[in-house]
Amino acid sequence: DAKTTQPPSMDCAEGRAANLPCNHSTISGNEYVYWYRQIHSQGPQYIIHGLKNNETNEMASLIITEDRKSSTLILPHATLRDTAVYYCIVRVGGAQKLVFGQGTRLTINP
Amino acid sequence: DTGVSQNPRHKITKRGQNVTFRCDPISEHNRLYWYRQTLGQGPEFLTYFQNEAQLEKSRLLSDRFSAERPKGSFSTLEIQRTEQGDSAMYLCASSSRDSYNSPLHFGNGTRLTVT
């Protein structure tokens, strides 16, 4: 699976959009981009995934660049409950396991 | 609640004892995974089942570790002769057969402390 690079930490003000970047410059054509988050003392929570088109669900939006070498997870109106570690993962289509990196620790400030 | 259920939530044991954890996946999910997470690190893959067949094991899964999924439903992870280095959060996840890129859904883990 391709390696991802994320900033170790980010801050965002409550009510603003949180934009979390992820670099996956070695991604292959059949690899999907997944985002998970982990709130303290809980298991990772699935947020969203995509291949090459932008995706949106009730939690977030995923923007993937045209060359697919990077992506951004957008939380449109961050709340204090969005404080968590966010993991960006690339996964080969059809592969089973997810390989987690260190993630980005996002802190939402009041 | 129809999410992944893990029991117990916490386990404290003395070095050298055996421990067993249970995972109940989301109903009808045929794929089940075990991960381990130590403080400050991302989860690390241990093993994966499709139905009752264990299809992949990580090198992290030493011979003291054994996982089973006898009827393709719940799974157990046993650690024999526990060591202090086994202290970690043990996470279980499941995914659906509906799509080959179905996301994994995680439980809230079992936190093991070996004293």
Side-chain angles (χ1 to χ4, degrees):
Chain A
D1 293 335
K3 180 179 172 60
T4 63
T5 303
Q6 299 178 254
S9 64
M10 292 182 63
D11 286 86
C12 179
E14 188 178 17
R16 304 296 293 269
N19 297 279
L20 292 95
C22 180
N23 182 288
H24 31 79
S25 58
T26 60
I27 194 170
S28 301
N30 63 344
E31 289 185 309
Y32 287 73
V33 180
Y34 286 76
W35 283 84
Y36 280 75
R37 72 180 183 184
Q38 189 171 25
I39 296 168
H40 183 61
S41 295
Q42 297 183 19
Q45 177 188 23
Y46 167 74
I47 301 173
I48 198 166
H49 75 282
L51 182 62
K52 49 187 173 182
N53 297 322
N54 297 338
E55 302 287 344
T56 295
N57 62 21
E58 65 280 3
M59 290 183 68
S61 295
L62 173 60
I63 308 298
I64 302 174
T65 58
E66 192 169 343
D67 63 7
R68 302 186 69 239
K69 293 185 177 182
S70 66
S71 60
T72 301
L73 180 75
I74 301 173
L75 307 178
H77 305 288
T79 71
L80 298 178
R81 289 179 294 182
D82 292 322
T83 292
V85 177
Y86 286 76
Y87 296 98
C88 169
I89 303 163
V90 293
R91 178 196 193 194
V92 174
Q96 295 312 317
K97 66 187 180 190
L98 295 171
V99 179
F100 288 80
Q102 298 295 325
T104 295
R105 182 172 298 278
L106 174 67
T107 302
I108 306 301
N109 300 306
Chain B
D1 187 285
T2 58
V4 176
S5 176
Q6 292 189 247
N7 288 288
R9 285 299 313 276
H10 304 274
K11 178 71 177 178
I12 300 173
T13 191
K14 293 184 177 179
R15 188 175 54 187
Q17 297 295 305
N18 300 344
V19 294
T20 300
F21 311 138
R22 177 178 170 124
C23 171
D24 288 273
I26 293 172
S27 180
E28 299 183 353
H29 277 192
N30 69 328
R31 298 170 182 151
L32 187 146
Y33 312 76
W34 285 98
Y35 281 75
R36 181 176 71 183
Q37 186 173 26
T38 54
L39 200 62
Q41 303 297 314
E44 298 172 294
F45 171 78
L46 291 178
T47 190
Y48 152 66
F49 289 85
Q50 182 162 303
N51 300 312
E52 65 275 10
Q54 188 172 18
L55 297 185
E56 187 174 353
K57 292 196 292 186
S58 162
R59 289 171 296 175
L60 293 174
L61 211 66
S62 77
D63 56 5
R64 295 186 297 106
F65 287 69
S66 62
E68 295 183 344
R69 194 182 184 199
K71 297 183 180 179
S73 57
F74 73 92
S75 176
T76 57
L77 177 68
E78 181 183 17
I79 308 174
Q80 296 182 327
R81 306 181 302 282
T82 52
E83 301 172 357
Q84 287 187 320
D86 296 331
S87 294
M89 175 78 84
Y90 289 85
L91 293 160
C92 177
S94 67
S95 69
S96 168
R97 73 179 75 194
D98 289 345
S99 169
Y100 72 109
N101 62 344
S102 292
L104 278 62
H105 296 275
F106 285 81
N108 283 328
T110 293
R111 181 168 295 284
L112 173 67
T113 303
V114 182
T115 62

